[in-house]
Amino acid sequence: MDITLKQIESVLDAKVRPSLAAHGGNVIVLSLENDVLRVRLTGKCSGCPAAHSTNEELISFEISQAFPTIKDIILVEETNPELLTMAHKILNHQL
């Protein structure tokens, strides 16, 4: 049976997002390829020092429980474009 993104989103909605929302964050599914799920934390969870723990202890746990065939859940960390713009302005003394 192939796992659909809709099925993954359902598990995230039920088991993961309420905990993240309590901290002002969320999770976005970026891709599912070759049984590897890539996700990104958003909101206050993005860039949080505990992000890797959140991925390992919450997201990976719940996804692995629901879908044992998923081999890995990778947390993709990206810098918020707004933060980059602000940093460039600060460095160029434009603020």
Side-chain angles (χ1 to χ4, degrees), residues 35-76:
D35 296 322
V36 175
L37 181 67
R38 293 181 183 279
V39 299
R40 180 167 40 101
L41 294 174
T42 63
K44 290 187 177 180
C45 293
S46 176
C48 171
H52 285 283
S53 294
T54 298
N55 185 51
E56 291 172 13
E57 296 171 13
L58 178 63
I59 300 169
S60 293
F61 175 79
E62 294 297 347
I63 293 297
S64 296
Q65 290 290 317
F67 311 106
T69 58
I70 291 182
K71 297 177 204 166
D72 198 8
I73 294 93
I74 297 174
L75 178 61
V76 176

Side-chain angles (χ1 to χ4, degrees), residues 6-22:
K6 186 175 180 179
Q7 291 171 308
I8 291 170
E9 291 287 351
S10 292
V11 170
L12 293 174
D13 286 345
K15 305 276 187 173
V16 175
R17 287 190 171 112
S19 294
L20 296 177

